[in-house]
Amino acid sequence: MPFAQIYMIEGRTEDMKRAVIEKVSAALVEATNAPKETVRVWITEVPNTNWGIAGVTAKDLGR
Amino acid sequence: MPFAQIYMIEGRTEDMKRAVIEKVSAALVEATNAPKETVRVWITEVPNTNWGIAGVTAKDLGR
Amino acid sequence: MPFAQIYMIEGRTEDMKRAVIEKVSAALVEATNAPKETVRVWITEVPNTNWGIAGVTAKDLGR
Amino acid sequence: MPFAQIYMIEGRTEDMKRAVIEKVSAALVEATNAPKETVRVWITEVPNTNWGIAGVTAKDLGR
Amino acid sequence: MPFAQIYMIEGRTEDMKRAVIEKVSAALVEATNAPKETVRVWITEVPNTNWGIAGVTAKDLGR
Amino acid sequence: MPFAQIYMIEGRTEDMKRAVIEKVSAALVEATNAPKETVRVWITEVPNTNWGIAGVTAKDLGR
């Protein structure tokens, strides 16, 4: 621990997801002084049909 | 905020998911008086092989 | 199913939380035609020290 | 209730996921004395590109 | 991995929560053949005012 | 979006939690180029009685 679960819109590149994992892991180590070996981060990608902003789907908003 | 994460069996139509987002967002506004702009709702669809009801998968139950 | 997990800032009244549960449950039934008996809703309250909006805690924003 | 949400790397067989649901459900009944009918378990599978162990993706670790 | 997040009504004893952690961890090892060292289980306790069953709070149902 | 939900052992100081929110938010902006205004981070603190590492509670491990 600590662990982070990331929610983001589906469709980002593998490189961008790798960057999320690297940078969020580093941020957790910096902020908490936890050993890096104990950090876990996982990304849940949400399709734009399944994400609602103020009651409207991201797809209907053109995202 | 408030935010809602919805879990449901995979396979509902896009219209049904849009309705979930609209109606749950409206319900959160009504119940909490939060400004609609701050509400987020996202749906996690679970395959019927991955959902267990009383220890049996939804698939084995024919759902 | 469906299930909803609600995240909101800690400190709302019991009546408001009851309203969230009632209204979100009704919204899920309306939107999905699922039997009401299968709906579950639970609220995770987040202290204002633990919620970050654009990188600033809700507490520091005066919420 | 109780409910369990399982996170694991994507790609296990249907039989293995069925076993997870059966055994975790049984474990919850044994540990809490809750009626089996009230137990729900669902599995969120995470692609190896989306799972980070100590800041490195499971894919880059060869898993 | 695998990881399990358990949701249950607040108020069970420490011994019962220890049993949940032991038995669910063992179940995950048995079902997936993952090394025990990689298993993590955490319990989110939900107050009875915050848990809704078919639209009614667990508190109002006397649980 | 993106959003991050952080799980960590209960008991860190308010300053440390503020640092988690600041640094994880900045990491998400850097990695995804999302506008900072859309980033949300929330921390779920888990008591050491409720967290299991390889089947043993963090409390029993002296953490």
Side-chain angles (χ1 to χ4, degrees):
Chain A
M1 76 226 82
F3 293 172
Q5 181 173 15
I6 313 296
Y7 298 98
M8 55 188 207
I9 290 280
E10 194 174 63
R12 285 193 167 92
T13 63
E14 192 175 320
D15 276 349
M16 206 171 257
K17 294 189 283 186
R18 183 182 287 108
V20 166
I21 285 169
E22 285 174 1
K23 289 179 193 296
V24 170
S25 298
L28 287 170
V29 169
E30 259 187 66
T32 67
N33 297 320
K36 194 174 185 179
E37 297 78 51
T38 65
V39 174
R40 298 292 179 276
V41 176
W42 63 99
I43 301 171
T44 298
E45 293 184 89
V46 181
N48 64 0
T49 52
N50 290 21
W51 188 288
I53 299 162
V56 183
T57 69
K59 186 181 178 194
D60 289 346
L61 291 169
R63 299 189 194 174
Chain B
M1 75 225 85
F3 293 172
Q5 180 171 15
I6 312 296
Y7 297 99
M8 55 189 206
I9 290 281
E10 194 173 64
R12 286 192 167 93
T13 64
E14 193 175 320
D15 277 349
M16 206 171 257
K17 293 190 282 185
R18 183 182 288 108
V20 166
I21 285 171
E22 285 175 0
K23 288 179 194 297
V24 170
S25 297
L28 287 170
V29 170
E30 258 187 65
T32 67
N33 297 320
K36 193 174 186 179
E37 297 78 52
T38 65
V39 174
R40 298 293 179 275
V41 176
W42 62 99
I43 300 171
T44 297
E45 294 183 90
V46 181
N48 64 1
T49 51
N50 290 20
W51 188 288
I53 300 163
V56 183
T57 69
K59 186 181 179 192
D60 289 346
L61 291 168
R63 301 189 193 174
Chain C
M1 76 223 82
F3 293 171
Q5 180 172 15
I6 312 296
Y7 297 99
M8 56 190 207
I9 290 280
E10 195 174 63
R12 286 192 166 92
T13 63
E14 193 176 321
D15 277 348
M16 207 172 257
K17 294 190 282 185
R18 184 183 288 110
V20 166
I21 285 169
E22 286 174 0
K23 289 179 194 297
V24 171
S25 298
L28 287 170
V29 169
E30 258 187 66
T32 67
N33 297 321
K36 193 173 185 182
E37 297 78 51
T38 64
V39 174
R40 297 293 179 274
V41 175
W42 62 100
I43 300 171
T44 297
E45 294 185 88
V46 181
N48 64 359
T49 52
N50 290 21
W51 188 286
I53 299 163
V56 183
T57 69
K59 186 180 178 193
D60 289 346
L61 293 168
R63 298 188 196 175
Chain D
M1 78 225 79
F3 293 172
Q5 180 172 16
I6 312 297
Y7 297 98
M8 55 189 206
I9 290 281
E10 196 174 62
R12 285 192 167 91
T13 63
E14 193 175 319
D15 276 349
M16 208 173 256
K17 294 190 282 185
R18 183 182 288 110
V20 167
I21 286 170
E22 286 175 0
K23 288 179 194 297
V24 170
S25 298
L28 288 170
V29 169
E30 258 186 65
T32 67
N33 298 319
K36 194 173 186 181
E37 298 78 51
T38 65
V39 174
R40 298 293 179 275
V41 175
W42 62 100
I43 300 170
T44 297
E45 293 184 89
V46 181
N48 65 0
T49 52
N50 290 20
W51 188 287
I53 299 163
V56 183
T57 69
K59 186 180 178 194
D60 289 347
L61 292 168
R63 299 188 194 176
Chain E
M1 79 222 80
F3 293 171
Q5 180 172 15
I6 312 297
Y7 297 99
M8 55 189 207
I9 290 280
E10 195 173 63
R12 285 191 167 93
T13 63
E14 194 176 320
D15 277 349
M16 208 173 256
K17 294 190 283 185
R18 183 182 288 111
V20 166
I21 286 170
E22 287 175 359
K23 289 179 193 296
V24 170
S25 298
L28 288 170
V29 169
E30 258 187 65
T32 68
N33 297 320
K36 193 174 186 181
E37 297 77 52
T38 65
V39 174
R40 297 292 178 275
V41 175
W42 62 100
I43 300 170
T44 297
E45 294 184 89
V46 181
N48 65 359
T49 51
N50 290 19
W51 188 287
I53 299 163
V56 183
T57 69
K59 186 181 178 192
D60 290 346
L61 291 168
R63 299 188 194 177
Chain F
M1 79 229 77
F3 293 171
Q5 180 171 16
I6 312 296
Y7 297 98
M8 56 190 206
I9 290 280
E10 194 173 64
R12 286 192 167 92
T13 64
E14 192 175 321
D15 277 349
M16 207 171 257
K17 294 190 282 185
R18 184 183 287 109
V20 166
I21 286 170
E22 286 175 0
K23 289 179 194 296
V24 171
S25 298
L28 287 170
V29 170
E30 259 188 64
T32 67
N33 297 319
K36 194 173 185 179
E37 297 77 52
T38 64
V39 174
R40 298 293 179 275
V41 175
W42 63 99
I43 300 170
T44 298
E45 294 184 89
V46 181
N48 64 0
T49 51
N50 290 19
W51 188 288
I53 299 163
V56 183
T57 69
K59 185 180 179 194
D60 289 347
L61 292 168
R63 300 187 194 176

